[in-house]
């Protein structure tokens, strides 16, 4: 989404690279804020599934609202709201899903070395899967975008001077020549919206997967010790009575 938002600002709205980069700030800011809020919530309640499911839904809504992008939509309240929700969806799951995967460390094993190795293995596997998924999403999006732009340009007789060019050359031509609401701009906007449809489909799949996350709560060691101390003092008080 961030990659093709930049493409949208440059290729459809005709803005510079620096302007396009600045307009993706709401995604990054909302993602960072959501990470902090969710981490505090998980620390206080231990509820992981609530965070994952809620942020997955917010991200799905944000990806759906990105279909409202138009030629006249600059950095106004609508675009900020759309990208803000997408950032919330991503930021809320970066840390919570990792904690959810680490829950499956064998806690009944008394060997701390074994626990540490399991934790390292789970974290490494989680990171590998996340990077693989991010790379796969980028490849799928790029393939879809390039194929759609090439086919639509080839079918448009008014763009016959671009029929012999590759997609990269078409994009370079667009960056140099610019233009608003022309045939090439409409084609590129349509291709970018198609990528956002892919993001929406993956976000819906993300919500479905979130339903199967464990319902168990996550506790920190000092919280467990504090709870054990409270139970110990309560038992002593009852015995004294």
């Amino acid at each position: 989404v961030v990659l093709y938002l930049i493409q949208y600002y440059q290729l459809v709205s005709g803005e510079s690279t620096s302007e396009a980069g600045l307009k993706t700030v709401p995604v990054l800011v909302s993602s960072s804020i959501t990470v902090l809020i969710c981490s505090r919530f998980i620390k206080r309640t231990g509820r992981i599934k609530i965070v994952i499911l809620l942020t997955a839904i917010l991200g799905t809504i944000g990806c759906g609202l990105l279909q409202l992008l138009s030629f006249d939509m600059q950095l106004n309240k609508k675009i900020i709201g759309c990208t803000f929700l997408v950032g919330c969806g991503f930021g809320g799951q970066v840390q919570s899903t990792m904690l959810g995967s680490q829950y499956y460390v064998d806690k009944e094993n008394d060997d701390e070395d074994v626990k540490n190795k399991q934790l390292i293995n789970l974290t490494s596997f989680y990171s590998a899967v996340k990077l693989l998924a991010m790379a796969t999403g980028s490849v799928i999006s790029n393939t879809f975008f390039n194929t759609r732009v090439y086919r639509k340009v080839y079918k448009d007789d008014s763009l016959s001077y671009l029929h012999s060019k590759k997609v990269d050359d078409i994009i370079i031509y667009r960056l140099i020549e610019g233009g608003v609401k022309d045939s090439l701009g409409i084609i590129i906007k349509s291709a970018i919206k198609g990528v956002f449809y892919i993001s929406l489909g993956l976000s819906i799949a993300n919500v479905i997967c979130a339903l199967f996350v464990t319902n168990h709560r996550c506790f920190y060691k000092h919280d467990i010790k504090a709870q054990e101390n409270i139970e110990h003092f309560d038992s002593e008080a009852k015995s004294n009575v």
Side-chain angles (χ1 to χ4, degrees):
V1 169
V2 173
L3 175 62
Y4 280 91
L5 272 176
I6 295 175
Q7 298 277 22
Y8 173 83
Y9 286 126
Q10 287 186 276
L11 302 177
V12 178
S13 300
E15 301 187 19
S16 65
T17 304
S18 57
E19 290 175 333
L22 286 173
K23 289 185 177 181
T24 59
V25 169
V27 182
L28 305 177
V29 172
S30 61
S31 177
S32 302
I33 293 174
T34 308
V35 168
L36 295 175
I37 294 174
C38 292
S39 62
R40 294 292 299 175
F41 176 81
I42 293 174
K43 185 175 181 179
R44 292 179 66 89
T45 65
R47 300 292 185 182
I48 301 174
K49 184 172 184 176
I50 295 176
V51 172
I52 296 176
L53 184 58
L54 179 60
T55 52
I57 293 172
L58 291 177
T60 302
I61 295 172
C63 288
L65 292 176
L66 286 174
Q67 298 300 323
L68 299 176
L69 291 176
S70 63
F71 285 101
D72 300 326
M73 185 176 280
Q74 304 297 324
L75 191 61
N76 55 24
K77 294 180 181 179
K78 290 183 180 179
I79 189 68
I80 290 176
C82 297
T83 55
F84 186 86
L85 290 176
V86 173
C88 291
F90 178 75
Q93 297 191 61
V94 171
Q95 194 173 34
S96 56
T97 50
M98 179 178 288
L99 291 173
S101 65
Q102 293 175 349
Y103 172 82
Y104 292 97
V105 172
D106 186 6
K107 305 173 191 63
E108 296 181 358
N109 195 321
D110 296 330
D111 193 340
E112 291 295 329
D113 291 336
V114 173
K115 288 183 179 179
N116 292 332
K117 289 179 180 178
Q118 288 180 351
L119 184 62
I120 293 172
N121 290 336
L122 282 170
T123 305
S124 301
F125 180 72
Y126 168 86
S127 301
V129 172
K130 183 176 71 173
L131 293 174
L132 179 63
M134 292 172 68
T136 303
S138 298
V139 170
I140 293 173
S141 300
N142 287 330
T143 303
F144 176 86
F145 178 80
N146 292 341
T147 303
R148 187 158 187 172
V149 169
Y150 180 80
R151 287 181 177 178
K152 286 187 172 291
V153 167
Y154 188 77
K155 291 179 180 179
D156 194 329
D157 294 333
S158 65
L159 300 173
S160 57
Y161 55 93
L162 296 175
H163 288 179
S164 60
K165 295 183 179 295
K166 297 179 180 179
V167 175
D168 292 340
D169 296 328
I170 294 174
I171 298 302
I172 293 172
Y173 172 83
R174 175 68 180 178
L175 289 173
I176 296 173
E177 296 297 327
V180 179
K181 295 185 180 180
D182 56 352
S183 299
L184 185 56
I186 293 173
I187 289 173
I188 292 176
K189 185 188 76 169
S190 174
I192 292 175
K193 282 194 172 185
V195 172
F196 291 153
Y197 266 121
I198 294 174
S199 300
L200 176 60
L202 294 174
S203 297
I204 293 173
N206 184 26
V207 174
I208 296 172
C209 292
L211 296 174
F212 297 96
V213 174
T214 175
N215 289 313
H216 293 288
R217 298 177 65 180
C218 174
F219 293 100
Y220 291 90
K221 287 184 177 180
H222 66 272
D223 294 333
I224 296 175
K225 290 181 179 179
Q227 184 64 30
E228 289 177 350
N229 291 332
I230 291 173
E231 293 176 354
H232 177 69
F233 288 134
D234 288 345
S235 62
E236 286 188 348
K238 289 179 181 179
S239 63
N240 291 332
V241 171

